[in-house]
Amino acid sequence: SYNADLFQTETRKLMIPAADVACVNGHNSLEHALLILTQSGYTAIPVLDRAGAVKGIINSTLIIKAILGISGYEIERLSEQKVEQVMSVDVPKVKESQLFLRPFELSITWPFLCVEDDAGKFVGILTRRTILAQLYQYFRR
Amino acid sequence: SYNADLFQTETRKLMIPAADVACVNGHNSLEHALLILTQSGYTAIPVLDRAGAVKGIINSTLIIKAILGISGYEIERLSEQKVEQVMSVDVPKVKESQLFLRPFELSITWPFLCVEDDAGKFVGILTRRTILAQLYQYFRR
Ligand SMILES: Nc1ncnc2c1ncn2[C@@H]1O[C@@H]2COP(=O)(O)O[C@H]3[C@@H](O)[C@H](n4cnc5c(N)ncnc54)O[C@@H]3COP(=O)(O)O[C@H]2[C@H]1O
Ligand SMILES: Nc1ncnc2c1ncn2[C@@H]1O[C@@H]2COP(=O)(O)O[C@H]3[C@@H](O)[C@H](n4cnc5c(N)ncnc54)O[C@@H]3COP(=O)(O)O[C@H]2[C@H]1O
């Protein structure tokens, strides 16, 4: 539906809430993370700590590189290593009160943004799909 | 730079040309494809046939699922199976003469589009990053 106030819309109105986001904990094994990634079908997901804050992003490329040894793939590393040893700590974050223009700009670089409340707790993600769908409706008027 | 005529721009002006796109052939092994994916860092890439047309898209999730057997990961399948046995054949395509609105609409669903010439030959890809960057410039005027 046409959102006349797209640029006045807060991120919280557009995000996928945390309950619907596939995530892992930094203490999980790579094996666990790979299962979540392949079963959910997502290529990259947030990594949370026990306090519910985002600490990193894990993707299957990072996991595959971690298990590739001198003489081939070392499958045992999957259960031996933890997500926090391998994840990327470069995480794009926005506050849930942030207006559209800033997430829009960040989405040029990032397929999804991690949304946090004022206390720094993870509350959802904002995806390129959502941003593009909103922009498309804007132009279709 | 501000593109006043964004909606009159042809896809060929915005695409990443084929020479700069990481691809594989359907006859390549999964092992070869996984190497290209992990080394390029891209999560999904086009699969071409010998005539240079796009036949599918391969991503690491499809490969990992293909090697996951009853009793764990079966690494030997990587060299035994071919890309064409595992790839997705659902490929978003646009002509290089296509104007912006159509790729923009498709990008809501697809992270990248395969661009072809009138003969159906692969000539490049158009990414969400490019589309979002162009839209952002449009709004920044
Ligand atoms: N189950 C599904 N149903 C329908 N379409 C699907 C889908 N899985 C993937 N797609 C499509 O493929 C795009 C890329 O997904 P990817 O997993 O690489 O990249 C995703 C993934 O890394 C992350 N993501 C999206 N939804 C997520 C969720 N519920 N939980 C965790 N991560 C999510 O955000 C990135 C961008 O997502 P976005 O939706 O913009 O873009 C998605 C969407 O257009
Ligand atoms: N080497 C790099 N340098 C800078 N940024 C990088 C990067 N690799 C990935 N990214 C960032 O991550 C996004 C998702 O990449 P992904 O590989 O999942 O998803 C990519 C990949 O599947 C494909 N793709 C992009 N460029 C490609 C290329 N040169 N060859 C083959 N496939 C490509 O199109 C999808 C969307 O690309 P898009 O640029 O919109 O979005 C990219 C880009 O914003």
Side-chain angles (χ1 to χ4, degrees):
Chain A
S1 60
Y2 173 47
N3 185 349
D5 293 302
L6 181 56
F7 290 84
Q8 293 307 314
T9 304
E10 289 186 335
T11 292
R12 80 186 80 212
K13 290 255 159 57
L14 301 175
M15 70 187 187
I16 295 172
D20 298 336
V21 178
C23 302
V24 289
N25 185 289
H27 297 305
N28 291 139
S29 67
L30 297 191
E31 183 173 41
H32 178 86
L34 196 59
L35 214 60
I36 302 289
L37 287 166
T38 49
Q39 287 182 348
S40 69
Y42 296 117
T43 61
I45 58 178
V47 181
L48 307 187
D49 65 13
R50 296 180 194 287
V54 182
K55 291 307 194 192
I57 290 176
I58 188 73
N59 63 56
S60 43
T61 302
L62 290 168
I63 296 175
I64 292 163
K65 283 184 166 172
I67 66 168
L68 194 43
I70 302 287
S71 47
Y73 293 102
E74 301 184 13
I75 292 298
E76 61 281 5
R77 287 188 194 177
L78 279 177
S79 46
E80 289 167 9
Q81 295 192 11
K82 294 192 189 304
V83 169
E84 61 196 4
Q85 295 171 276
V86 163
M87 68 188 184
S88 166
V89 296
D90 199 7
V91 184
K93 294 181 183 179
V94 291
K95 290 285 184 240
E96 54 180 348
S97 53
Q98 186 74 268
L99 298 185
F100 187 74
L101 191 70
R102 178 65 183 149
F104 176 14
E105 183 186 22
L106 284 171
S107 76
I108 295 167
T109 308
W110 301 96
F112 69 95
L113 314 174
C114 293
V115 187
E116 43 182 30
D117 63 17
D118 287 330
K121 185 162 179 289
F122 174 69
V123 292
I125 61 173
L126 177 52
T127 62
R128 276 175 169 170
R129 176 188 185 134
T130 299
I131 290 168
L132 285 159
Q134 288 288 329
L135 288 164
Y136 188 75
Q137 288 307 317
Y138 185 95
F139 280 102
R140 278 208 53 180
R141 72 184 184 284
Chain B
S1 61
Y2 173 48
N3 185 350
D5 292 303
L6 181 56
F7 289 85
Q8 293 307 314
T9 304
E10 290 187 335
T11 293
R12 81 187 79 211
K13 290 256 160 55
L14 301 175
M15 69 188 188
I16 295 172
D20 297 338
V21 178
C23 303
V24 289
N25 186 290
H27 297 304
N28 290 139
S29 68
L30 297 192
E31 182 173 42
H32 177 86
L34 195 60
L35 214 60
I36 301 288
L37 286 167
T38 48
Q39 286 182 350
S40 68
Y42 296 117
T43 61
I45 59 178
V47 181
L48 307 187
D49 64 14
R50 296 178 194 287
V54 182
K55 290 307 194 191
I57 291 177
I58 187 74
N59 63 55
S60 43
T61 301
L62 290 168
I63 297 176
I64 293 163
K65 284 184 165 172
I67 66 169
L68 195 43
I70 302 288
S71 47
Y73 292 103
E74 302 185 10
I75 292 298
E76 63 279 6
R77 287 188 194 177
L78 279 177
S79 47
E80 290 167 9
Q81 295 193 11
K82 293 191 190 306
V83 169
E84 62 194 4
Q85 295 171 278
V86 164
M87 68 190 184
S88 165
V89 297
D90 200 6
V91 183
K93 294 181 184 178
V94 291
K95 291 285 184 243
E96 54 179 349
S97 53
Q98 185 75 266
L99 299 186
F100 186 74
L101 191 69
R102 178 65 183 150
F104 177 12
E105 182 187 23
L106 285 170
S107 76
I108 295 168
T109 308
W110 301 96
F112 70 94
L113 314 174
C114 293
V115 187
E116 43 182 29
D117 63 17
D118 287 330
K121 186 165 179 288
F122 175 68
V123 292
I125 62 174
L126 177 51
T127 62
R128 277 176 168 170
R129 176 188 184 135
T130 299
I131 290 169
L132 285 159
Q134 288 288 329
L135 288 164
Y136 188 75
Q137 288 308 318
Y138 185 96
F139 280 102
R140 278 208 52 179
R141 73 185 182 285

